Amino acid sequence: MIHAERWSMSEAEVFHEKQRLELCAIHALNNVLQERVFTKETADDICKRLAPQCVVNPHRSVLGTGNYDVNVIMAALQSRGLAAVWWDKRRSVQNLCLDKVHGFILNVPSRVSLGIVSLPLRRRHWLAVRQVSGRYYNLDSKLKGPVCIGGEEELRTFLSEQLSQDVTEMLLVVRKEVEDDGTWLNADDSRK
């Protein structure tokens, strides 16, 4: 069973699923949506739909423990009328039109550990960032609970710091029409 909690923080109730197996993509999706929508079963169904003829599905771990790729995240969001817009890291996060962005899903490097021993290996990890009641929260499933980032300026600083790591990627979670018209980007940024 996936462990999810609602944390009371000031007037906000923040939904936060904790890490299980290699299901960080599912946790990131549910955390950015602020409810348990997707499960391992729904993600596996998406994988089968994306690669119906494959014996070994390229969109998840061969072991069946998760490790879903960006295609699964994009298809899952589309099933909810949302879209994932890849953020070009050459742009400044100051150009984000935050009121048009539902949330963020980041793909970051993550240390591999066995118990208390940290191995010199790095894997990829999905995490969500979302605004709840006027405050932005880091909803990384590896955290014990949601961590308040703060307001818009603190969010921009957090995202800039994350994106400064060469291997970090960011998806903007937006409504489909926002993706289509490009309003997730401030009008003064001419590089659309």
Side-chain angles (χ1 to χ4, degrees):
M1 185 170 126
I2 293 175
H3 183 65
E5 295 182 26
R6 287 220 175 257
W7 289 72
S8 291
M9 297 187 164
S10 62
E11 63 276 1
E13 280 209 349
V14 182
F15 177 88
H16 180 254
E17 263 183 17
K18 290 188 182 178
Q19 186 70 30
R20 188 173 70 89
L21 300 173
E22 294 179 293
L23 303 179
C24 59
I26 294 169
H27 303 316
L29 284 163
N30 290 339
N31 287 342
V32 85
L33 295 173
Q34 282 296 281
E35 63 179 313
R36 187 168 190 248
V37 176
F38 298 103
T39 63
K40 182 179 179 314
E41 293 71 31
T42 55
D44 287 341
D45 287 345
I46 291 170
C47 288
K48 288 176 194 155
R49 208 171 57 241
L50 291 171
Q53 304 302 320
C54 293
V55 175
V56 176
N57 195 294
H59 303 290
R60 65 175 179 212
S61 163
V62 244
L63 302 174
T65 55
N67 200 21
Y68 301 102
D69 72 7
V70 69
N71 299 293
V72 176
I73 289 174
M74 293 173 77
L77 289 170
Q78 287 171 358
S79 76
R80 304 285 294 183
L82 297 168
V85 175
W86 174 75
W87 178 253
D88 183 345
K89 294 193 312 185
R90 295 172 294 185
R91 285 192 166 116
S92 166
V93 294
Q94 297 302 321
N95 296 326
L96 279 168
C97 185
L98 293 176
D99 63 339
K100 297 286 187 168
V101 179
H102 184 79
F104 305 87
I105 296 180
L106 284 78
N107 190 251
V108 299
S110 180
R111 293 188 193 278
V112 176
S113 58
L114 292 172
I116 59 169
V117 178
S118 185
L119 302 175
L121 302 171
R122 293 236 172 208
R123 305 241 4 226
R124 307 295 297 164
H125 176 67
W126 295 105
L127 67 91
V129 173
R130 166 81 190 263
Q131 183 186 55
V132 179
S133 298
R135 309 299 287 164
Y136 288 92
Y137 291 89
N138 178 350
L139 301 170
D140 185 343
S141 58
K142 288 187 172 184
L143 297 171
K144 289 182 194 264
V147 173
C148 184
I149 295 168
E152 288 188 5
E153 284 314 305
E154 292 87 358
L155 171 71
R156 291 180 197 277
T157 300
F158 173 84
L159 295 175
S160 294
E161 288 170 356
Q162 293 294 315
L163 292 168
S164 70
Q165 301 178 63
D166 284 342
V167 294
T168 297
E169 297 295 336
M170 180 169 74
L171 300 172
L172 311 178
V173 178
V174 299
R175 290 189 330 271
K176 181 71 178 118
E177 59 271 15
V178 170
E179 176 195 36
D180 293 341
D181 64 22
T183 54
W184 50 268
L185 197 58
N186 285 325
D188 58 354
D189 187 341
S190 59
R191 296 185 319 179
K192 280 193 178 179

